[in-house]
Amino acid sequence: MSHDTAEGSLEPDSKRIKLDTAEEIGSQDSDSNRIKGIAPIKAEYILEKQVAQNEVEHDDEAEGQGLTERGNGGENGVKNKKKNRGQNKKRNLVQANETIKLCEQIKGGAAECKFGESCKYEHDVAKYIASKPTDIPGVCPVFAAIGYCPIGLRCRWLTSHFSNNKLDVNEELKSKALLENYEVNRIDIKDQMLLNRKKFDFPKSEGVIKYLDDRIVRNEKGQASENTENADNSDITEKKDLAASFIESPLLATEKKKLYLKGAKILSPLTTVGNLPYRRLMKKLGADVTYSEMALALPLLQGQKSEWALPRAHSSEVGGFGVQIATSKHWQAIKAAEAIAKFAPHTSEINLNCGCPIDLLYKQGAGSALLDNQGRLMRMVVGMNAVSGDIPVTVKLRTGTRDGHPTARNIVSRLLENGQVASITLHGRSRAQRYTRLADWDYIKDIADFVKEKREGKLLEGEEGDGRIVKPWIIGNGDIFSWKDWYDAIEKFSVDSSMVARGALIKPWIFEEVDARQYLDKSATERLEIVKTYANYGLEHWGSDTYGVNQTRRFLCEFLSFTHRYIPVGILEYLPPRINDRPPLWKGRNELETLLASTDYKDWIKISEMFLGPANEGFEFAPKHKSNAYES
């Protein structure tokens, strides 16, 4: 194809724009008119004058990484010399709070505080209300949802449910909400303190850890073959020794709760953005299975409040909610699994993260570092299964740690022989790739075919045909951005289902597309309604006071740092849309659509103000990932 764009060329303007861009990029798809890396936007929506921007090359890092705050805790396609990667680690996460703090016992309308004059908080309701910022107009979203406002007098919408010096309550709506709209997996403060003071007893874990440590010592002395580190079912005597470590024998992997993931619509574990309000939104939009943000095993064992907020789930997630943990030590993984089974009983699976690529975890031997320490990985799986009660254990892998040196097949083979994981998810990238370049679905297919062949053969029946070995599901992960990508994964690449990560951040209604088997051209109004729903869920979760509004606003802006990348299918020249394509500067079909596509985080704050009122002077926001926004 000629790239001649000189005066007098017969090429139409739209194609000329694409070809000009191709010369800058230096590459073009060989099988179509698509320019590699460029979103094919119709010419009438492309802005001729490019506004000077601090363009950046994307380094999308939402899935399975990011260890700063917790959620419970350049987009032109043209590479600039300046790359803006990594996290904004120096951003200020501390937000302004109330100048006068109301006593907790008074906030709900109590007449007196049991601490009396010794209490250091404000008891004068009139004085407190006078010190508050002007109430946000409208009805309190929390009151409208559940019939009362748990924040009480601190609510920023107080005037909507406070009359005659009394907080209003809608008893009928409150009763309904208590049955249908609640949060689970809340750890009791007493248990949290026991963990914090190292006084919690781990009766199951202690025996299992001793058993596995003894095996390591025997291996080092050459008294046992290396294959015993697989902890498979061939050594019945050792299994009996393990069972003898307990007052009550542990459940076999085949006796645990069953997962059914064939064709399930699965949302990946996502850090920062994958918080409870977002997962609740995704359940509303069609997700079948959700996962917590990645929790670190050691902070869980230390009883840290921020970490125990991660396994918390909404009632709509019950029956399809997994808790993902990361650690480098088998004893931490085992104890964390026992703690989750006890304190987060509404968990459907405990997922071991063996794919997180960030340096902080990798250098400690956690996340993707486990791909190079298979013996430790197997010990974790065995130990976690022994203490997790009826909750099955699953794993999430990458292809390997280095480009061109995949190790997943060997790991999967050992997991199959081990027979104790209920599901294996394979992300089609190496650790070195992080989230750049396309996922290798041909390799995923090779592994999926291998798993299906083995689980249908005699290898997974157990030596005595006793049914001790679990036949795991195989799930693919990487670059799922449309219903077509999702179905291709199952129909062309052999997986039982596909896990969606960034695709569900950029296009939250992706599972609606899967059900409809077509692209959905959501209007700007419909998309704004999704943002409103997220904001309301955030207020229900974090609270409707100043702190809760600030938290909701910050995480809403993080959410918008991905959703702004969505390009409506109605303005694309041809389909399918691709997750790694970047657009030239473009305008929407109306002002709201243009606003929702803004790359300027100041506009995201403006969008948040539609539902959360004006941001106070002390509110600050910088996107977690440097590549996600810049000022225009």
Side-chain angles (χ1 to χ4, degrees):
M1 179 181 293
S2 172
H3 284 194
D4 180 15
T5 58
E7 186 175 356
S9 170
L10 297 179
E11 298 285 9
D13 290 342
S14 59
K15 182 171 288 189
R16 187 176 303 138
I17 291 173
K18 287 183 285 185
L19 294 178
D20 287 344
T21 311
E23 289 182 343
E24 289 189 72
I25 299 300
S27 63
Q28 185 177 30
D29 285 354
S30 59
D31 58 344
S32 73
N33 287 332
R34 296 184 73 121
I35 308 303
K36 187 174 182 180
I38 302 298
I41 294 177
K42 293 177 181 177
E44 60 264 36
Y45 298 104
I46 297 176
L47 298 179
E48 294 182 5
K49 184 178 180 180
Q50 299 285 318
V51 178
Q53 297 180 354
N54 176 27
E55 295 164 4
V56 295
E57 179 178 324
H58 265 258
D59 185 30
D60 299 314
E61 298 183 354
E63 180 189 359
Q65 55 179 311
L67 297 175
T68 51
E69 73 286 350
R70 298 299 191 146
N72 282 340
E75 304 234 345
N76 283 21
V78 181
K79 293 184 180 179
N80 255 3
K81 293 181 179 179
K82 179 178 180 181
K83 295 182 180 180
N84 202 5
R85 292 185 168 184
Q87 297 180 15
N88 284 313
K89 295 182 179 179
K90 295 182 179 181
R91 61 186 181 152
N92 179 21
L93 300 178
V94 179
Q95 306 297 347
N97 218 318
E98 298 173 317
T99 55
I100 297 179
K101 294 188 177 181
L102 186 68
C103 174
E104 281 291 316
Q105 296 185 56
I106 304 296
K107 79 167 188 180
E112 296 181 1
C113 168
K114 66 181 181 179
F115 297 106
E117 294 181 359
S118 63
C119 181
K120 62 181 181 179
Y121 297 109
E122 184 59 56
H123 295 129
D124 188 330
V125 173
K127 180 180 178 182
Y128 169 74
I129 292 177
S131 72
K132 289 178 59 184
T134 303
D135 271 1
I136 300 171
V139 177
C140 170
V142 179
F143 183 87
I146 64 176
Y148 72 106
C149 184
I151 291 299
L153 297 173
R154 298 209 310 263
C155 179
R156 291 296 316 280
W157 288 265
L158 179 61
T159 51
S160 71
H161 55 76
F162 185 67
S163 55
N164 299 320
N165 290 322
K166 185 179 179 181
L167 291 167
D168 299 334
V169 178
N170 182 329
E171 294 292 351
E172 182 180 353
L173 187 56
K174 180 179 178 181
S175 299
K176 183 180 179 182
L178 290 174
L179 294 174
E180 300 176 358
N181 181 9
Y182 54 92
E183 295 183 4
V184 298
N185 292 345
R186 290 176 176 270
I187 186 172
D188 188 271
I189 185 64
K190 295 179 180 178
D191 294 321
Q192 188 181 321
M193 292 304 296
L194 286 175
L195 288 169
N196 186 258
R197 295 169 181 172
K198 299 183 180 180
K199 292 185 177 181
F200 179 75
D201 186 25
F202 290 92
K204 296 180 180 180
S205 296
E206 296 297 347
V208 175
I209 293 168
K210 182 179 183 302
Y211 166 77
L212 292 173
D213 287 345
D214 287 346
R215 287 161 61 98
I216 296 173
V217 171
R218 295 203 311 275
N219 286 342
E220 289 175 349
K221 292 181 178 180
Q223 295 175 358
S225 68
E226 186 177 348
N227 288 333
T228 60
E229 219 170 8
N230 279 329
D232 56 27
N233 296 288
S234 60
D235 195 330
I236 304 301
T237 302
E238 289 192 356
K239 282 291 178 184
K240 290 180 178 179
D241 290 342
L242 176 59
S245 302
F246 306 95
I247 298 174
E248 181 180 348
S249 297
L251 292 176
L252 296 174
T254 52
E255 298 173 326
K256 296 176 182 285
K257 290 186 292 189
K258 299 295 186 290
L259 298 179
Y260 187 79
L261 301 180
K262 181 67 176 178
K265 299 186 289 293
I266 307 172
L267 178 69
S268 175
L270 299 162
T271 63
T272 306
V273 197
N275 45 55
L276 186 149
Y278 171 74
R279 299 196 311 269
R280 182 181 172 190
L281 173 67
M282 292 307 300
K283 287 293 292 186
K284 179 181 175 66
L285 294 176
D288 295 321
V289 178
T290 57
Y291 289 87
S292 72
E293 298 175 68
M294 179 180 65
L296 300 183
L298 186 57
L300 287 175
L301 300 178
Q302 293 171 336
Q304 291 187 15
K305 182 179 179 180
S306 60
E307 216 68 23
W308 275 103
L310 302 182
R312 193 180 302 171
H314 187 259
S315 54
S316 62
E317 298 180 88
V318 174
F321 175 66
V323 174
Q324 187 184 69
I325 64 171
T327 183
S328 61
K329 304 286 193 292
H330 69 275
W331 67 267
Q332 291 178 4
I334 295 167
K335 287 189 173 183
E338 182 175 358
I340 290 168
K342 182 173 180 61
F343 302 130
H346 295 281
T347 298
S348 302
E349 62 178 275
I350 301 175
N351 182 266
L352 179 62
N353 184 312
C354 306
C356 182
I358 66 168
D359 293 340
L360 181 61
L361 281 186
Y362 182 77
K363 291 178 180 178
Q364 293 176 354
S368 57
L370 292 175
L371 300 174
D372 292 331
N373 198 330
Q374 298 176 23
R376 183 182 299 168
L377 192 162
M378 300 303 156
R379 288 195 294 274
M380 288 181 178
V381 169
V382 171
M384 290 168 65
N385 258 297
V387 302
S388 64
D390 66 348
I391 301 176
V393 174
T394 61
V395 298
K396 189 168 188 287
L397 311 170
R398 281 186 175 240
T399 59
T401 56
R402 295 178 295 161
D403 281 348
H405 294 82
T407 57
R409 185 183 180 94
N410 186 42
I411 296 171
V412 170
S413 178
R414 295 184 70 173
L415 288 171
L416 291 172
E417 293 171 6
N418 177 283
Q420 297 196 47
V421 292
S423 172
I424 300 170
T425 299
L426 179 60
H427 183 163
R429 293 182 176 90
S430 67
R431 177 196 178 252
Q433 283 179 265
R434 301 242 173 176
Y435 297 89
T436 59
R437 301 201 300 276
L438 296 177
D440 187 350
W441 275 90
D442 289 331
Y443 186 77
I444 293 176
K445 182 182 187 305
D446 179 57
I447 300 300
D449 288 338
F450 174 70
V451 169
K452 289 186 174 181
E453 176 186 353
K454 296 300 182 183
R455 77 184 184 193
E456 293 169 5
K458 294 183 179 180
L459 172 64
L460 300 186
E461 293 298 328
E463 287 192 355
E464 300 175 1
D466 54 10
R468 288 172 178 255
I469 292 178
V470 176
K471 298 182 178 182
W473 301 102
I474 179 68
I475 311 299
N477 180 212
D479 301 334
I480 302 297
F481 193 47
S482 70
W483 66 273
K484 188 176 186 304
D485 295 333
W486 194 87
Y487 283 105
D488 282 350
I490 296 174
E491 297 167 3
K492 296 182 180 180
F493 298 102
S494 301
V495 295
D496 293 310
S497 189
S498 184
M499 182 178 282
V500 186
R502 284 177 294 163
L505 289 173
I506 298 171
K507 186 167 58 177
W509 59 91
I510 186 170
F511 295 126
E512 289 185 340
E513 287 193 350
V514 169
D515 287 335
R517 286 181 175 261
Q518 64 179 356
Y519 298 105
L520 300 178
D521 189 5
K522 293 279 186 180
S523 68
T525 302
E526 290 175 306
R527 291 168 59 198
L528 190 65
E529 190 64 26
I530 290 174
V531 175
K532 177 182 178 181
T533 301
Y534 178 92
N536 289 346
Y537 288 168
L539 293 170
E540 288 184 53
H541 178 63
W542 287 299
S544 57
D545 58 351
T546 299
Y547 170 81
V549 170
N550 283 340
Q551 283 289 90
T552 301
R553 194 188 309 277
R554 184 165 68 83
F555 284 108
L556 176 59
C557 287
E558 293 284 7
F559 181 36
L560 292 171
S561 77
F562 287 93
T563 61
H564 85 275
R565 288 175 50 189
Y566 172 70
I567 304 170
V569 295
I571 72 169
L572 292 175
E573 281 207 47
Y574 29 77
L575 300 173
R578 293 177 179 170
I579 196 168
N580 287 334
D581 282 356
R582 299 291 180 262
L585 198 65
W586 60 281
K587 64 179 180 180
R589 292 166 291 189
N590 53 51
E591 289 185 7
L592 180 56
E593 194 167 76
T594 302
L595 177 63
L596 290 173
S598 174
T599 57
D600 192 335
Y601 64 84
K602 292 180 180 178
D603 285 332
W604 307 340
I605 295 176
K606 291 178 183 177
I607 293 171
S608 77
E609 291 178 334
M610 297 179 185
F611 314 111
L612 302 174
N616 58 47
E617 293 182 2
F619 179 80
E620 293 185 19
F621 176 76
K624 178 176 181 179
H625 301 295
K626 293 178 181 178
S627 63
N628 276 11
Y630 44 84
E631 294 186 34
S632 295

